[in-house]
Amino acid sequence: MFLTSQKYGHKSLKAFTLAEVLITLAIIGVVAAITIPTTIKNHWHTEISTGAKTSFSIMSNVIRKAVYDHGPTDTWDIGITGNIDNAEDFIEKYILPYVKIAKNCKRSKTQDCYYKIYNLKGEVFDWNSTDDYPKEFARFYLANGTAITFFLGGHIGTKTREVQLFTDFNGWRGPNKMGIDVQTYFINLHLEDEDYDPKNRFRLSLPYEGESKKAKSLITNQYRGCSKSAGIYAGMWCTSLMYLYNNGRVPSKEQYVKWAENKDYAKNYPW
């Protein structure tokens, strides 16, 4: 209802009543409460997808350039698992000459250089490091603020030889979880194994892409699956799930549950 006034011969003025104003504000509040969380989540999903694609593109170009100069990746020197000296030597030789960086962390213990990576359950991902056998990594920052972490796996002369590469598009700021802001890629150096595509000698690859054929296995694997209920490596296969089945984008919960072929996995949706 409108209130009107004809006092002093002026033209009639119309206004909302207080009740009508309060009702309108209440409606706006309800709509905002419904739409804002969804908008924020969609924006976050876009950030994850864009960050993952950008860092993958940059590092893929780096690997191609390094292969051109040093030969296929299965000829590269890797050194000892988790050895910080070998890790630093590796990136100095094969990575840093081919990319513009803002900072090479080396042995720095500052917050941006020494922050931890977590799995989807919130557990520290430390490559089973112990006091007697500490395992460390090399980290640097791209010019766009992306943190790149390199962990050397395996030993010279064995089949288990790989470099795990973790890209974190928002650096040390949280949540620093695999499959969320941290994406996982491999440089395969153990191509004697039949599960690996020989093309990986020339490019950056997805984790275990030769081994995992179905989206379901990428989600439900109890060791590395893209699921909050997986083991210590929970989230490592989220990157493969995004790239192999959703064009590098974060899938919706509906897609995720459909791929898992199990409605109970709705509670394990990581994004």
Side-chain angles (χ1 to χ4, degrees), residues 84-222:
I84 185 63
D85 293 316
N86 292 160
E88 287 292 343
D89 290 344
F90 182 90
I91 68 169
E92 289 282 354
K93 181 176 181 179
Y94 298 111
I95 306 300
L96 299 186
Y98 307 101
V99 64
K100 184 176 181 180
I101 68 169
K103 181 177 183 178
N104 183 7
C105 287
K106 296 186 177 181
R107 304 301 177 96
S108 174
K109 300 294 185 180
T110 56
Q111 183 180 32
D112 59 333
C113 283
Y114 207 65
Y115 71 88
K116 301 294 185 180
I117 292 175
Y118 301 87
N119 65 17
L120 289 179
K121 296 189 291 188
E123 299 168 338
V124 175
F125 180 60
D126 60 1
W127 299 279
N128 297 315
S129 181
T130 66
D131 292 338
D132 294 331
Y133 187 28
K135 298 178 183 179
E136 297 184 278
F137 50 81
R139 178 174 287 156
F140 63 87
Y141 277 81
L142 298 177
N144 66 3
T146 298
I148 310 291
T149 302
F150 277 82
F151 179 78
L152 306 186
H155 300 264
I156 292 177
T158 71
K159 289 186 176 182
T160 308
R161 302 176 64 222
E162 64 193 15
V163 175
Q164 296 173 1
L165 187 163
F166 301 85
T167 69
D168 189 342
F169 73 87
N170 62 352
W172 62 269
R173 294 173 292 278
N176 302 327
K177 288 186 177 181
M178 289 193 294
I180 310 301
D181 52 334
V182 178
Q183 303 301 325
T184 312
Y185 307 98
F186 278 8
I187 303 174
N188 289 316
L189 305 173
H190 54 302
L191 297 168
E192 302 93 339
D193 193 321
E194 63 183 12
D195 285 330
Y196 290 88
D197 187 340
K199 292 179 181 178
N200 288 347
R201 295 182 301 163
F202 304 98
R203 62 181 176 86
L204 190 63
S205 65
L206 299 170
Y208 295 90
E209 61 181 303
E211 182 178 313
S212 303
K213 303 296 185 181
K214 296 182 179 180
K216 180 180 178 180
S217 65
L218 294 173
I219 295 172
T220 61
N221 182 278
Q222 291 303 303

